[in-house]
Amino acid sequence: MPELPEVETTRLGLVPRVVGRRIRDVVVREPRLRWPVPRDLAGRLRGAAVSAIRRRGKYLLFDVGAGHLLVHLGMSGNLTVVSPDRPVRRHDHVDLVLDSGDIVRLNDPRRFGAVLWVRDPERHALLESLGVEPFDGAFDGAWLRRAAHGRRVPVKQFLMDSRVVTGIGNIYANEALFAARIHPSRPAGRISRPRLDRLAAESRAVLSRALAKGGSTLRDYVGSDGAPGHFQLEYAVYGRAGEPCPACGAPVRVARQAGRSTFYCPACQR
DNA sequence: AGAACCACCTGGCAGC
DNA sequence: TGCTGCCAGGTGGTTC
């Protein structure tokens, strides 16, 4: 589930119940995530207050005392606030027990997620090379033009490159390229400036719509039953191979790029 | 330097 | 029903 809108929805759901609280304890049931959960994590966090929860790309940063707790949800992770009587389920790997009694619980079947301690986010390897945020004003056609200059990589892979712009995953890359009418395998450096302007705008628009949907299910998303209960955006092309293009009716095509499925309309996207 | 692959892991589903 | 193979929302690391 977690693309940028889901991560931001998670953040918004956590803030009111977590910011300002102290961490009473940390329970690590399974430390083998993408990287091992630091052994001294509980020692660092116990007793500390969470002063803010921020997001950079798809990384969540809990500001706590002398450093930050970094959480990434990988492909299958979710972070919910649950009450202490909630039974532990399969893949409930990490709990933050708050002084309110609430528990912030990470469930992640595939274990591609991460829970790390970060002293200085500005100089952390996972964060320092990240590109612009899609909702930042700096993300526009000029930014894409600079980053794409001379590059022959297919624009879809370019758009998913977190060093260029953070948080655009496979679904939204497909949707943004469709909305901008750009063929996913076109070399990034060979797209005109006006089309890059449109690509930036459409990328932002697609993410905004998804975020608006996520926001409307916020209560469910971090609710007491923990059911993610999303309510998905209608995708124009993603997952719709063979179905008619919503713009022209031609069958949506699926191809493989860098090991990922790419959905596009061969008639509309050039 | 840039691009193409691989790796990590579990669960769900189609097909037999 | 149960098995096998394939696919899945991410991204760092290795190889060419």
Side-chain angles (χ1 to χ4, degrees):
Chain A
M1 293 125 228
E3 287 218 36
L4 188 145
E6 288 79 5
V7 177
E8 179 63 10
T9 298
T10 297
R11 190 187 74 81
L12 292 171
L14 292 172
V15 163
R17 294 173 73 174
V18 179
V19 172
R21 316 261 32 149
R22 275 180 195 284
I23 297 171
R24 187 192 290 159
D25 203 4
V26 177
V27 180
V28 179
R29 295 183 200 81
E30 174 55 86
R32 295 174 303 164
L33 303 185
R34 170 134 201 207
W35 297 282
V37 176
R39 301 169 80 93
D40 59 356
L41 189 69
R44 293 193 189 276
L45 294 179
R46 209 174 279 130
V50 179
S51 57
I53 305 176
R54 294 178 291 144
R55 181 185 59 73
R56 180 76 175 96
K58 294 174 189 162
Y59 294 94
L60 289 170
L61 283 165
F62 293 67
D63 295 352
V64 272
H68 313 263
L69 173 71
L70 176 148
V71 176
H72 194 286
L73 300 176
M75 294 267 268
S76 59
N78 79 299
L79 205 52
T80 52
V81 179
V82 301
S83 63
D85 55 4
R86 170 60 161 289
V88 170
R89 294 195 240 182
R90 200 159 145 74
H91 309 305
D92 282 343
H93 304 313
V94 178
D95 281 359
L96 304 179
V97 184
L98 305 180
D99 60 358
S100 58
D102 279 342
I103 295 171
V104 178
R105 178 163 287 171
L106 175 73
N107 182 284
D108 183 8
R110 290 176 76 177
R111 292 195 273 122
F112 288 175
V115 174
L116 295 171
W117 175 256
V118 170
R119 181 74 70 182
D120 180 3
E122 305 301 312
R123 268 175 279 285
H124 192 275
L126 292 177
L127 304 172
E128 68 181 355
S129 60
L130 292 179
V132 70
E133 287 288 326
F135 292 119
D136 189 313
F139 176 56
D140 58 12
W143 175 280
L144 290 176
R145 179 68 236 165
R146 267 194 306 277
H149 186 71
R151 297 191 58 188
R152 301 213 288 235
V153 68
V155 61
K156 189 202 170 208
Q157 281 138 267
F158 172 77
L159 196 58
M160 290 175 67
D161 183 344
S162 65
R163 292 166 302 182
V164 175
V165 52
T166 63
I168 301 182
N170 196 39
I171 294 178
Y172 298 114
N174 280 300
E175 294 294 304
L177 287 166
F178 172 76
R181 302 173 63 89
I182 297 172
H183 196 286
S185 42
R186 176 172 285 273
R190 304 203 42 199
I191 300 174
S192 69
R193 177 56 202 279
R195 303 189 78 203
L196 291 175
D197 288 339
R198 176 142 184 215
L199 181 57
E202 297 289 3
S203 298
R204 194 161 26 226
V206 163
L207 292 170
S208 302
R209 281 199 295 277
L211 189 52
K213 298 271 186 175
S216 68
T217 58
L218 215 51
R219 280 166 307 163
D220 293 350
Y221 199 80
V222 190
S224 54
D225 69 344
H230 7 71
F231 150 47
Q232 289 204 324
L233 195 63
E234 280 287 295
Y235 301 130
V237 287
Y238 181 80
R240 294 187 178 275
E243 294 179 40
C245 162
C248 78
V252 170
R253 206 171 277 178
V254 62
R256 210 89 193 143
Q257 282 185 298
R260 318 294 301 271
S261 292
T262 297
F263 299 90
Y264 66 103
C265 173
C268 294
Q269 295 174 250
R270 294 290 160 172

